[in-house]
Amino acid sequence: MSHQEHLPQARRQFAHRSSLRGAQAWLAALSCAVVLLLLAACPALAAEGSAPSTLRAEAVRGTGWNDTAPPAEGWTPVALPDSWATRWPGFDGVVWYRLTWEQPEQAREAGLLLHYLNMAGEVSLNGTTISRDESLVEPLTRAWNTPRYWLLAPPLLKTGTNTLLVRVSGLFAYQAGLGPVSLGTPAAMQAKFDGERLVRRDLQVLGLAVSAAASAFFAALWLLRRRETAYGWFALMSVLWLVFGYNQIATSPWPFASNHAWQALNTSTLLVFSVSYVVFALRFCGRRMPRLELAALLLAAAGVLDLWLAPVADLIEHRAIWTMLGGLTVIAVNSISIVHALRHRDSPMRPLAPFMAISALTGAHDLLVFTQVIDSNTYYTTMSSYVLLLGMALTLAAQFVKSLKRIENFNTELIEEVNAAKAELAATLAQQHALELAHARIGERVNLVSDLHDGLGGMLVGSIATLEHKPENLGAPELLAMLKRLRDDLRLIIDATGDDHGARALGELLVPMRHRSAQLLDANGIDCRWEVSGIDTLELPPSQSLDLMRFLQEALTNALKHSASRRVDVKVARAGAELQLSVRDDGRGFAVEDQTAGAGLRSLRTRARRLGAELHLQSRPGETRVALRMPLAG
């Protein structure tokens, strides 16, 4: 599509140079030209269809609805087309028309075209009936928009004077009378008949078919998108116009018993349609005017009630008033919408303005026909209704293409943003992986330092304290034992950090550590007493076992290094789903809340967190207690 570069900058409107806007303009211009040609052709058709000077027309009023023959007297010359509303005001019944002409001897056949008669009738030529409508009394056959063509040949057509007798049953309120009658060659009359049938029937049916399709389409569209209320109102308009336009092709007032009731329905439909048109125009522009809408609705309701409750004698005037009001309302909506579209470039009505102009033009013409300012009975609004529907279809197509363009732009931007986000995420993940790897290495180093501090460091401190306390009593065997204990502790660290599979009973691990710590404390003059229960079969993961061993080692090392105690009590017990561990000494104590606590206390707290256990510290001169409560997995 050309000029797509302009679409995103149009504030949700197409650029004026877009191909679809050009198509709308061309279609509107073409439709307008067709309607203008039809309007211009209407007087031409009437003039061309008028009886030639050799065709003499006379009329006489019948005596009753059931007349079978015209009166012998009272014939009055008339010009066709003829409406008896001015000649015989208020007359409902039968009027006889007699048309005579001289047929040359050399003409063997002729074509006869009767453009219309209003409402029902019977036609006979030289005493032979050639056409008769189904019902010549109320409810009358509605033949007012039906052209008739006959091919006349001997013996029906005779040389010399020929008489065409037309019996018309009509109601003066609805332009009762006889339309133009044309006589000529069969080819010319056949072509003229085809043109009349196109205007009076075929285009009317086409307009109704388009209205039916549009009502179904826009109703479905509204059901799928309830918030688009303009489409719902347009669907309602299409249904109402379908009912109103059916008057152009209806041949019976069924289901009513009279044409008066049919016309009341027809005018009521026009009133409701005009109100729906007002609301549609407002909704399509995204506006609401509750007071105006309510006033229009109440006025339409009053008109409907008036039409159905008014006496038959007054129905004619009431119908004329409400028909004018409904028609003028539609013309006013079209005019205001066109002005709004011209004054506001971003108006949603802008694409519809050309089609509304056509609707206003044909509506004005039909009102002039209705009021008999224009001497015709051909109405164009039903034929031109599909023009507005096509305008709506093009507008929807424009909105669809615009939405599709926005979606395409959105998809492009989304893909770019996703690719940028993926690149940023990849960089972030790489950075996070590097940080995690560095943190893992640091954590391993911290754990190793902690294990060395709590295990091997404690053993070294104890050994140094022993050497300082009684260096003269240590021989080679004692020194060798110290070195073996250091080796065993180092092996414990290597085993725990190198392989995390399998589990050993806690009591089994506790025996060598208990033996080593007891020797170390005894060598420094500290009495160490142990209380162990319920852990002979308790198996823990190696990492938890190592943390528990290191916790005990650190607690005992702190007592050895800092407490200056003479006795240490150690308790390790399983109590239900909990492991309880405590170390108590009778030393000098320390300040538990001291923020400058050494590495020993920090190590105790760290290991308690890793074990998911609760750590309790209590200390005062003469008693310090370190307690750990760790939940066991079920």
Side-chain angles (χ1 to χ4, degrees):
M1 181 181 296
S2 60
H3 308 296
Q4 285 187 349
E5 67 274 11
H6 297 290
L7 295 178
Q9 291 81 23
R11 288 194 62 191
R12 308 179 71 181
Q13 297 292 328
F14 278 126
H16 65 276
R17 295 194 301 166
S18 68
S19 59
L20 189 55
R21 179 65 59 83
Q24 286 180 319
W26 278 106
L27 180 60
L30 180 61
S31 302
C32 187
V34 170
V35 173
L36 289 175
L37 287 175
L38 287 173
L39 295 179
C42 180
L45 287 174
E48 186 179 359
S50 300
S53 58
T54 57
L55 190 65
R56 298 177 298 276
E58 300 172 292
V60 65
R61 185 167 59 174
T63 59
W65 283 99
N66 297 314
D67 283 354
T68 58
E73 299 178 350
W75 290 93
T76 302
V78 296
L80 300 181
D82 175 66
S83 173
W84 72 59
T86 56
R87 185 181 305 107
W88 296 303
F91 176 70
D92 295 339
V94 175
V95 170
W96 295 87
Y97 289 89
R98 184 171 62 192
L99 291 84
T100 59
W101 72 94
E102 297 296 325
Q103 185 68 22
E105 182 177 358
Q106 66 273 18
R108 303 300 301 169
E109 61 182 14
L112 179 65
L113 172 63
L114 193 159
H115 292 242
Y116 65 87
L117 57 82
N118 194 357
M119 284 205 177
E122 180 181 8
V123 182
S124 60
L125 178 61
N126 297 325
T128 301
T129 301
I130 60 176
S131 174
R132 188 182 191 280
D133 291 325
E134 182 178 355
S135 178
L136 301 180
V137 297
E138 277 282 48
L140 293 170
T141 298
R142 298 180 57 80
W144 67 278
N145 211 21
T146 304
R148 306 160 195 252
Y149 168 73
W150 300 277
L151 177 62
L152 306 180
L156 185 62
L157 182 66
K158 63 183 182 180
T159 303
T161 303
N162 288 265
T163 301
L164 183 73
L165 189 63
V166 182
R167 178 188 188 276
V168 177
S169 298
L171 305 171
F172 89 98
Y174 311 124
Q175 302 180 21
L178 182 64
V181 177
S182 300
L183 182 67
T185 63
M189 293 302 100
Q190 180 65 54
K192 189 177 294 187
F193 169 72
D194 292 340
E196 282 286 322
R197 186 174 57 186
L198 175 67
V199 173
R200 293 183 175 275
R201 303 292 296 183
D202 297 346
L203 290 180
Q204 306 286 355
V205 173
L206 175 62
L208 295 178
V210 173
S211 295
S215 61
F217 173 76
F218 284 100
L221 188 62
W222 173 70
L223 289 174
L224 293 175
R225 296 176 61 86
R226 293 291 185 90
R227 58 188 179 88
E228 301 288 351
T229 56
Y231 297 144
W233 284 103
F234 195 84
L236 177 61
M237 284 169 47
S238 300
V239 172
L240 293 170
W241 190 254
L242 182 65
V243 176
F244 177 75
Y246 180 69
N247 179 66
Q248 302 292 318
I249 63 172
T251 58
S252 169
W254 184 89
F256 303 105
S258 70
N259 279 278
H260 294 302
W262 176 269
Q263 293 298 339
L265 172 66
N266 196 249
T267 307
S268 299
T269 304
L270 177 61
L271 284 174
V272 180
F273 169 82
S274 64
V275 174
S276 302
Y277 199 23
V278 171
V279 179
F280 158 73
L282 291 173
R283 296 294 183 276
F284 196 69
C285 290
R287 300 186 61 186
R288 291 178 180 269
M289 300 180 68
R291 293 184 179 178
L292 176 62
E293 296 170 14
L294 179 60
L297 180 61
L298 292 177
L299 187 60
V304 172
L305 290 175
D306 179 65
L307 288 167
W308 288 98
L309 297 178
V312 175
D314 299 331
L315 180 62
I316 300 171
E317 292 78 8
H318 291 218
R319 169 179 170 266
I321 293 172
W322 293 115
T323 299
M324 289 294 296
L325 180 62
L328 290 174
T329 300
V330 174
I331 295 174
V333 171
N334 286 326
S335 303
I336 294 173
S337 299
I338 294 171
V339 172
H340 185 272
L342 294 176
R343 295 180 60 183
H344 302 85
R345 295 185 59 85
D346 59 344
S347 171
M349 287 295 182
R350 200 171 184 85
L352 288 179
F355 307 100
M356 286 185 160
I358 297 173
S359 177
L361 182 64
T362 56
H365 169 269
D366 288 358
L367 282 181
L368 294 176
V369 171
F370 175 77
T371 56
Q372 298 185 3
V373 174
I374 295 179
D375 188 11
S376 171
N377 79 331
T378 303
Y379 296 89
Y380 292 104
T381 49
T382 304
M383 292 182 286
S384 65
S385 61
Y386 60 85
V387 175
L388 182 59
L389 296 175
L390 288 177
M392 278 295 296
L394 282 177
T395 301
L396 281 178
Q399 292 179 352
F400 174 77
V401 173
K402 180 172 56 179
S403 300
L404 186 62
K405 183 63 179 179
R406 287 201 304 268
I407 292 174
E408 291 174 353
N409 292 338
F410 174 76
N411 288 338
T412 303
E413 295 174 0
L414 183 61
I415 291 173
E416 294 176 354
E417 292 179 0
V418 168
N419 290 335
K422 287 170 62 178
E424 183 179 356
L425 180 61
T428 302
L429 290 176
Q431 184 179 5
Q432 183 179 0
H433 177 71
L435 290 174
E436 290 177 350
L437 186 61
H439 289 165
R441 291 172 178 172
I442 293 173
E444 291 176 357
R445 292 173 184 173
V446 170
N447 292 337
L448 182 59
V449 169
S450 179
D451 289 337
L452 290 173
H453 172 271
D454 296 344
L456 192 60
M459 297 292 294
L460 286 173
V461 170
S463 299
I464 292 172
T466 301
L467 288 172
E468 289 178 346
H469 191 259
K470 295 180 179 180
E472 66 281 359
N473 296 332
L474 294 176
E478 288 78 7
L479 291 175
L480 180 60
M482 287 183 183
L483 292 176
K484 287 182 177 180
R485 287 196 295 273
L486 293 174
R487 179 201 62 190
D488 293 340
D489 194 87
L490 183 60
R491 181 177 297 165
L492 179 62
I493 296 173
I494 294 173
D495 291 341
T497 56
D499 185 9
D500 197 31
H501 301 288
R504 296 175 61 186
L506 182 59
E508 182 182 348
L509 294 173
L510 192 60
V511 170
M513 197 272 291
R514 175 180 177 182
H515 176 69
R516 291 194 301 269
S517 61
Q519 287 183 335
L520 184 60
L521 292 171
D522 288 342
N524 287 276
I526 300 175
D527 182 17
C528 183
R529 301 183 182 183
W530 288 74
E531 180 182 348
V532 179
S533 61
I535 64 171
D536 294 338
T537 59
L538 177 61
E539 294 184 352
L540 297 174
S543 59
Q544 286 190 339
S545 298
L546 180 61
D547 280 331
L548 285 171
M549 296 301 102
R550 290 294 182 249
F551 186 90
L552 278 174
Q553 284 182 339
E554 181 62 29
L556 293 173
T557 300
N558 288 340
L560 175 64
K561 291 169 55 179
H562 306 296
S563 67
S565 61
R566 306 305 302 167
R567 176 175 171 173
V568 175
D569 294 310
V570 181
K571 179 179 179 181
V572 180
R574 179 176 183 175
E578 187 177 72
L579 180 65
Q580 297 178 352
L581 184 152
S582 67
V583 178
R584 179 181 175 278
D585 66 68
D586 58 355
R588 65 170 65 96
F590 65 94
V592 176
E593 294 80 9
D594 188 3
Q595 298 298 323
T596 61
L601 287 180
R602 288 197 300 272
S603 177
L604 292 177
R605 292 189 174 97
T606 300
R607 293 191 184 278
R609 283 195 300 270
R610 292 208 315 236
L611 290 168
E614 295 181 8
L615 175 63
H616 298 279
L617 298 175
Q618 297 177 351
S619 182
R620 58 185 178 84
E623 182 180 10
T624 296
R625 184 170 180 270
V626 178
L628 184 75
R629 300 177 63 180
M630 184 184 78
L632 300 174

